[in-house]
Amino acid sequence: ADGIDSTKLRDTSVLKAHLLASGRLTNANIQILISRCCLTLRDSSSLWFSVPNAGGFMKELRKGREYILRIIRNAKFREILERELLKRKLVKDLKLGMKYLVADGVGSEMLNVTLTTSGPLIGLGDASA
């Protein structure tokens, strides 16, 4: 029962007292996490979790998602075989791979996968319709 219960950590912030009460972190540890940009001060008693350079990644992910959705929306019946989608060349300014973007789209329910005799068929999911 001692320590931090990870099932209760669903927010992007945490109370400093909660971290100290766990017995696993000291003020020195918290200062190290702040200096390494893993935690950011929210106010005097709480901290935000931080992921360095997450903004750049999220920008690339958003551009990639828009690209994949545009391809599928322009396809006949708004569906495309996965192998055909993976063959498509990415535009030069996209940094994330097509395979990653398709997996992300399926995982985020923006894309649906239907198994066919010709292979997986990718279509628009409920989240992107």
Side-chain angles (χ1 to χ4, degrees):
D2 285 0
I4 299 173
D5 183 1
S6 62
T7 60
K8 293 180 182 176
L9 292 178
R10 303 255 186 247
D11 203 358
T12 57
S13 64
V14 65
L15 292 174
K16 188 175 180 180
H18 183 77
L19 293 175
L20 294 171
S22 73
R24 295 183 180 172
L25 292 175
T26 64
N27 273 322
N29 297 133
I30 292 171
Q31 289 303 317
I32 290 170
L33 291 171
I34 290 171
S35 69
R36 301 278 165 90
C37 299
C38 295
L39 290 174
T40 304
L41 289 174
R42 180 177 180 189
D43 56 43
S44 62
S45 63
S46 64
L47 303 158
W48 273 318
F49 293 106
S50 174
V51 180
N53 300 318
F57 171 77
M58 293 305 294
K59 180 180 176 184
E60 291 300 322
L61 182 61
R62 184 176 51 253
K63 284 191 324 190
R65 284 177 172 178
E66 289 169 359
Y67 179 72
I68 293 281
L69 292 175
R70 191 175 326 115
I71 289 173
I72 294 172
R73 284 188 182 118
N74 291 333
K76 191 173 184 178
F77 304 114
R78 293 185 171 211
E79 297 175 321
I80 188 170
L81 286 171
E82 182 182 45
R83 72 171 177 265
E84 296 298 322
L85 185 59
L86 294 177
K87 283 183 189 175
R88 297 272 180 125
K89 297 227 184 225
L90 288 174
V91 291
K92 289 182 181 181
D93 62 332
L94 290 179
K95 294 183 174 104
L96 299 174
M98 185 66 84
K99 204 170 196 178
Y100 179 85
L101 293 170
V102 170
D104 169 68
V106 171
S108 65
E109 297 180 355
M110 290 176 19
L111 304 176
N112 283 333
V113 178
T114 305
L115 298 178
T116 68
T117 55
S118 299
L121 184 69
I122 308 290
L124 296 177
D126 295 333
S128 63

